[in-house]
Amino acid sequence: MQTFSDVGIDTTGKTGSFKMQCPRCGGKYDLSVNTEKKAYQCHKAKCDFKGYLKDNPRPIQWQKKDYFKPVFENKGLNKRAEEFFKKRCINLEIVAKNQITVERGALAFPYIYGGEVVMVKYRGANKKIWTTKNPKKVFYNAHKIHKDTTTITICEGEPDVLALECVGIASVSVPFGAPEVNATSFSDLDESFRNSGEAFDGITKIILATDGDAPGHKLEEELARRFGKERCWRVVWPDGCKDANAVLMEHGEDMLIECIDNAQPYPVDGIYNVMGFRDKLMNLYAHGLPTSYSTGSFALDHYYTVMPGELTVVTGIPGHGKSSFVEWLMINLIKDHKFRFGLFTPEHEPVETHIARLAELIDGRPFSKDTPSHLRMSQDGIDKAVDLLEEHCHYVIPDALNRKVDDILGLAKVLVAREGIKGLIVDPWNEISMEEMGASETHFIREALGKFRRFARSHQVAIWIIAHPAKQFKDKATGEYKPPNLYDISGSSRWRDMCDNGICIFRKAENEGDDRHSVEIHIGKIKHKYVGQIGKVDMRYEYDSGRFIDQIYEIKQSNVNGE
């Protein structure tokens, strides 16, 4: 029977629920311990110390986040609070109708969902914001969306919701505003979608009224990505005003109504005036071209980086490591950039064996029981890997009879909305049903790749498709196999035409000894120069962990060690 001391937690003289110093990261009062539930978790950023003692009989699938249901009492407003809303031109009757009160010396906004208050958010002096403990995060005002609601406006603050309500416009707000411009995840938004995202299912028109600054634009793009750009419209605020409440204060109710009435269709596919892109153009001018994500390899980044919204095709001779390469890349993106993925990998069933492969990539040690115990992945290593994969990976497993492109993308769309995935892996292509092929295989490939590419752009998801070459080719001069290219993929030259990036994984057949792990990464197509360039990268495949290592890096390490 495991005890807290077994995991390094000293609970001497303590029972119940309490906070203490984390033994792993040293964060003072960052570790929450519950002796009754036999659970522990560190809340400090980048510390992954959490778990349950092993004598807990409950299956891990039962574990759900414990939300605290707050006790809320509407005590009304004091004079200072009334002046605050009057200064913002917000009708006090609207404030009272939304049960906003004063508590703990701050404005208290009740978040209601499912007929009860699930969270209270406080706005204090000097823009200080806090909530009740362990809140159930939902969209503010989402409880007012009814089954006959067809249009809703989304902003990024409670005062903006109140301002819009003053002019009769139904709106909701994200719970904690926009993320920082350099943020790589949307954890608050993720939780809000999980807890209240179903409220938007019947909405046909979503008006995005986020703040007119860089973080607001980032939030707008993420909301459009999750809801689907085809049902989103965007608001352009007057100069000098960055949100709905500012317009109400500066220009009055009529102008605020005009702003919403003149919302522009979110760009999808079609023809638009250049002025419709002016805000995004100026944002691009101020903050630079789109930033792609590092692969986790210094050498590879010189030729290929990851850009959400692009379709990458990966090919190579069977057994040369196409799947291993994409899986290694996926784990790097999860670790370094908190990407979330959808995985259509029917060739890698049963799923648990595939998870074991991914765990090796995360931990760096073999999973197999045949490995000597001192070299094998520990139980703690498995637990950490499973926790990471649980948060960032979601298997797309449609019924065997429903593996059409539309089936896969339909499930991926659900994952974009609910989990905020930024990556989708299709491995391999030949597992997709071709019942809808139509006149020819060439026609099917063109139509199918077009759907994947449009999905990538519309939802800003990076997609990797692994496709086998039609046959292997030998060099006439040397008699050796040569790397296949995008034109060699089974089916059609459309593979090169339709993808944004093309990669081939190649190992020379005659390599022996340590050289048998040498891998060539051929970058055969790059659409945008800020993503990479055509070329070749030599890497080494680490068999036990499944990782790809820069050969240049290994040489530098050897020189440092004097070898």
Side-chain angles (χ1 to χ4, degrees), residues 105 124 180 185 195 261 309 332 368 393 448 455 506 558:
E180 296 295 326
S185 63
N195 294 331
D261 286 346
N332 287 349
S368 172
C393 289
F455 183 91
F506 180 71
S558 297

Side-chain angles (χ1 to χ4, degrees), residues 266-279:
Y266 205 93
V268 188
D269 288 327
I271 300 173
Y272 298 89
N273 294 332
V274 171
M275 288 303 293
F277 295 92
R278 187 180 186 281
D279 289 348

Side-chain angles (χ1 to χ4, degrees), residues 156 178-179 181 209-223:
E156 59 175 277
V181 174
T210 57
D211 287 5
D213 52 17
H217 289 311
K218 185 181 181 75
L219 175 62
E220 178 191 88
E221 290 178 358
E222 182 66 14
L223 289 170

